[in-house]
Amino acid sequence: MENCKSAATPMEVNLKLKKLEENESPTCHPYRELVGCLTYLMLSTRPDISSAVNILSRFQGGASDLHWTHLKRVLRYLQGTRNYSLTYQQTDAVSPLAGFADADWGSDMNDRRSTSGCLFQVFGNTVSWTTRKQTSVSLSSTEAEYISSSQAACEAIWLRNLLSEFNVVLESPTVIFEDNQSCIYIATEPRDQKRMKHLDIRYNYIRECIQNGSISIEFVPTQKQLADVFTKALPANIFNKHRVALGLKGGVEIQTQH
């Protein structure tokens, strides 16, 4: 893959992969090894491949040649952005810590579980990101978003404690930006919601954080939802815009090659 053609994005838009069928033969290529290498890269300096690596890592127990082809696409994307890296610089960000939380409802074709994604920036610089499949099936997009926001709240509290150890003063609540109005209403409404009473109690953690003033949740349009890049594949123009907002710089914009 050293001289492979580059790809504009690490994963195709609307890609729906299924598990290996009983009559299919598993790939003979080093699928797990490549997933491991890409995971190390993603955790270190390349949040832009987080969604692709998370989704493709779900097939390590039985990957086909089709899965292998899509995994190689990540390498093709990295080929065109091999000189990209996270950059940290002084910004005019008012809040020391801000986060974004999003979810892709029922995106896994095998068990219909949703994918959560969150991102946190310190003074406008990306320091924490995650993509994970939710542990239970969400009955609505609102429920999926609520679970994602609760998971983001846990990360926010940890980062607030870490920043306090560095003597960073956090006078105001940490804002988590969310693009689902129903989710925001449920999180900020102190009364119990009958349609959400089946949720595990740990997902109501964000309510407690909002009530004690450590977290606040605000609406952001989907077009400005940076965590969207951590939940699914996006078209190249939107993906590139979010990549810049993440702080990944250093390369020249590439065009899709067929």
Side-chain angles (χ1 to χ4, degrees):
M1 301 294 291
E2 184 178 359
N3 299 314
C4 65
K5 292 183 179 180
S6 59
T9 58
M11 191 167 56
E12 294 180 9
V13 179
N14 296 323
L15 179 63
K16 303 296 183 182
L17 293 173
K18 294 185 178 181
K19 291 182 178 180
L20 191 69
E21 299 290 344
E22 293 183 359
N23 58 346
E24 288 186 278
S25 300
T27 183
C28 61
H29 299 290
Y31 192 91
R32 289 184 178 180
E33 289 80 356
L34 180 53
V35 167
C37 293
L38 293 174
T39 299
Y40 173 78
L41 181 62
M42 177 269 294
L43 292 174
S44 302
T45 60
R46 297 299 298 263
D48 50 332
I49 65 172
S50 179
S51 177
V53 172
N54 178 273
I55 291 173
L56 292 167
S57 67
R58 301 172 188 177
F59 304 98
Q60 295 182 76
S64 66
D65 287 336
L66 177 62
H67 296 121
W68 174 251
T69 299
H70 288 290
L71 189 62
K72 288 195 298 181
R73 181 187 171 92
V74 183
L75 293 179
R76 292 174 54 210
Y77 167 73
L78 293 172
Q79 169 75 351
T81 58
R82 60 196 307 167
N83 59 337
Y84 275 61
S85 60
L86 275 177
T87 57
Y88 296 95
Q89 57 190 5
Q90 186 175 357
T91 67
D92 56 358
V94 177
S95 176
L97 179 65
F100 297 80
D102 196 23
D104 190 21
W105 179 44
S107 56
D108 194 300
M109 295 298 296
N110 300 286
D111 56 18
R112 305 308 297 183
R113 294 182 181 179
S114 305
T115 300
S116 296
C118 73
L119 157 74
F120 282 92
Q121 295 181 329
V122 174
F123 293 109
N125 296 284
T126 301
V127 299
S128 175
W129 58 88
T130 182
T131 300
R132 68 178 65 169
K133 185 166 75 169
Q134 295 181 2
T135 57
S136 59
V137 177
S138 297
L139 302 181
S140 65
S141 59
T142 297
E143 185 176 319
E145 296 278 0
Y146 187 69
I147 292 174
S148 177
S149 297
S150 295
Q151 294 171 340
C154 295
E155 181 73 6
I157 296 302
W158 184 84
L159 287 170
R160 285 175 64 90
N161 293 334
L162 179 64
L163 289 174
S164 66
E165 294 183 8
F166 292 133
N167 297 321
V168 176
V169 179
L170 297 168
E171 297 179 346
S172 58
T174 296
V175 177
I176 296 178
F177 292 100
E178 170 62 54
D179 61 2
N180 186 292
Q181 294 277 21
S182 298
C183 171
I184 296 175
Y185 173 77
I186 293 172
T188 55
E189 175 58 50
R191 294 179 300 176
D192 291 333
Q193 303 290 326
K194 291 183 179 180
R195 61 176 178 169
M196 305 290 283
K197 63 182 180 181
H198 63 282
L199 277 181
D200 193 304
I201 191 172
R202 68 179 181 275
Y203 296 130
N204 288 320
Y205 177 65
I206 189 171
R207 280 190 187 175
E208 180 180 327
C209 293
I210 292 173
Q211 291 171 8
N212 65 27
S214 57
I215 296 291
S216 67
I217 186 168
E218 296 182 7
F219 177 76
V220 64
T222 301
Q223 298 83 353
K224 297 181 180 180
Q225 175 56 277
L226 298 187
D228 201 25
V229 75
F230 295 101
T231 62
K232 57 183 176 291
L234 299 173
N237 59 330
I238 300 177
F239 180 84
N240 291 339
K241 183 183 71 173
H242 287 336
R243 184 176 62 192
V244 172
L246 291 176
L248 279 160
K249 302 177 181 179
V252 180
E253 295 294 330
I254 60 175
Q255 298 180 350
T256 305
Q257 298 185 17
H258 300 283

